[in-house]
Amino acid sequence: MSIEDLLSQLQNDYLVLNPQVKTIQDLIEAKGETIVNDHIAFRTYNLPKVNIRVLAKTFIDLGYQPKDQYDFTEKKLNAQHFQHENEKLPKIFISELIVEKFSDKLQSIVKTIVDQIPEDLTKQWDFCASKRSWDISFEDYETLKKESEYAAWVSAFGFCANHFTIFVNELNQFESLQDLNNFLKDNDIKLNDSGGEIKGSPETYLEQSSSMAAEIEVKFTNGIKHIPSCYYEFARRYPLPNGNLFHGFIAKSADKIFESTQKKKT
Ligand code: NI
């Protein structure tokens, strides 16, 4: 087992969850670019069986270091990012829903989900890629969604990459994140415009944008439904005053990026 094996497993699953990712990669590669991944993001609940610590274990074992922690007060999430000394490896961003801050109903559905996960599975090296190991009804998914779109997303997809991120600094044909956004929009890719298309600025050392999650078929206990899956993120980083590139995250920007898995209100 190596980090490369895990990353390729995560990538293969991610391409299945959002076929549009391949379209975006092909469009960019057709311009002669090589895509570098800035970070991979995971979502989970803060229950001890599946929290950030549990998901992070494999990455720590593979040489990643815990870095900054983040609070998302409004969405009731904690997050932390992990970095490898080999800068060619993507950063790992893991967030968790603070379950006790929600209604008893939400807590009880989440508990039912987590109780179904085999204890052994959570100790496996590829637990973060184990997807969904529980059954859930579409009604429960919808109940979760009323309080937290994030809680519902985890209930439907489980443990897998929520998004990969193109590191825009490594692209040669796109001078700015805006250039990349324009190129994608010209090719009929829908971008998340919650809080403006570009979140962050050179002053915060990080600019991010993202596609809207594609809707795919998901099996619930009472049938198949179409729901938003994964999105693709684009990040451009800027040097800190000390000259080093900023490798952290900006909670205020990520807050809006989380909304890329929201169903578009029409
Ligand atoms: Ni991200």
Side-chain angles (χ1 to χ4, degrees), residues 34-247:
T34 303
I35 292 172
V36 175
N37 188 16
D38 179 79
H39 66 270
I40 303 176
F42 296 88
R43 293 178 170 188
T44 188
Y45 304 118
N46 73 337
L47 302 183
K49 191 172 170 186
V50 297
N51 63 15
I52 291 179
R53 212 181 247 265
V54 177
L55 255 72
K57 185 170 183 306
T58 293
F59 294 102
I60 304 271
D61 290 348
L62 290 167
Y64 275 81
Q65 304 277 340
K67 296 285 177 181
D68 299 343
Q69 293 181 308
Y70 310 89
D71 296 325
F72 299 91
T73 315
E74 198 190 319
K75 292 197 165 56
K76 299 169 186 163
L77 303 169
N78 296 316
Q80 186 166 20
H81 96 263
F82 300 82
Q83 218 168 303
H84 202 281
E85 63 178 21
N86 175 357
E87 283 197 9
K88 291 209 160 52
L89 290 173
K91 288 175 275 291
I92 302 297
F93 182 91
I94 310 177
S95 56
E96 62 183 15
L97 190 77
I98 308 166
V99 177
E100 67 274 18
K101 291 199 173 167
F102 290 87
S103 72
D104 290 348
K105 181 74 196 159
L106 180 143
Q107 293 188 43
S108 112
I109 297 173
V110 168
K111 186 173 180 304
T112 308
I113 285 169
V114 173
D115 282 349
Q116 290 177 65
I117 305 171
E119 194 71 50
D120 290 357
L121 187 65
T122 65
K123 302 202 162 56
Q124 249 169 252
W125 71 277
D126 59 352
F127 174 58
C128 66
S130 64
K131 301 190 266 281
R132 204 177 90 186
S133 51
W134 54 83
D135 289 327
I136 181 161
S137 68
F138 188 62
E139 285 66 38
D140 280 352
Y141 167 83
E142 292 273 280
T143 303
L144 293 178
K145 208 167 129 188
K146 279 188 203 123
E147 281 187 69
S148 164
E149 186 277 326
Y150 180 109
W153 190 92
V154 178
S155 80
F157 298 102
F159 305 104
C160 57
N162 169 264
H163 62 268
F164 277 58
T165 311
I166 294 182
F167 186 33
V168 178
N169 299 47
E170 293 286 336
L171 300 178
N172 299 310
Q173 310 289 321
F174 301 94
E175 294 275 304
S176 63
L177 183 56
Q178 189 61 59
D179 277 356
L180 177 64
N181 287 353
N182 292 343
F183 171 74
L184 294 172
K185 286 187 291 181
D186 288 346
N187 285 283
D188 296 325
I189 305 294
K190 274 204 178 54
L191 300 181
N192 170 5
D193 55 14
S194 166
E197 234 169 60
I198 294 182
K199 285 80 175 164
S201 65
E203 290 72 37
T204 60
Y205 312 111
L206 175 63
E207 289 179 323
Q208 291 162 282
S209 62
S210 61
S211 68
M212 285 306 288
E215 291 203 4
I216 62 158
E217 288 185 348
V218 172
K219 197 165 167 252
F220 292 93
T221 48
N222 46 346
I224 290 181
K225 300 283 178 189
H226 283 83
I227 61 164
S229 62
C230 299
Y231 57 92
Y232 211 177
E233 191 179 301
F234 318 104
R236 178 158 185 209
R237 296 182 177 278
Y238 291 85
L240 294 161
N242 67 11
N244 295 334
L245 209 58
F246 175 65
H247 280 294

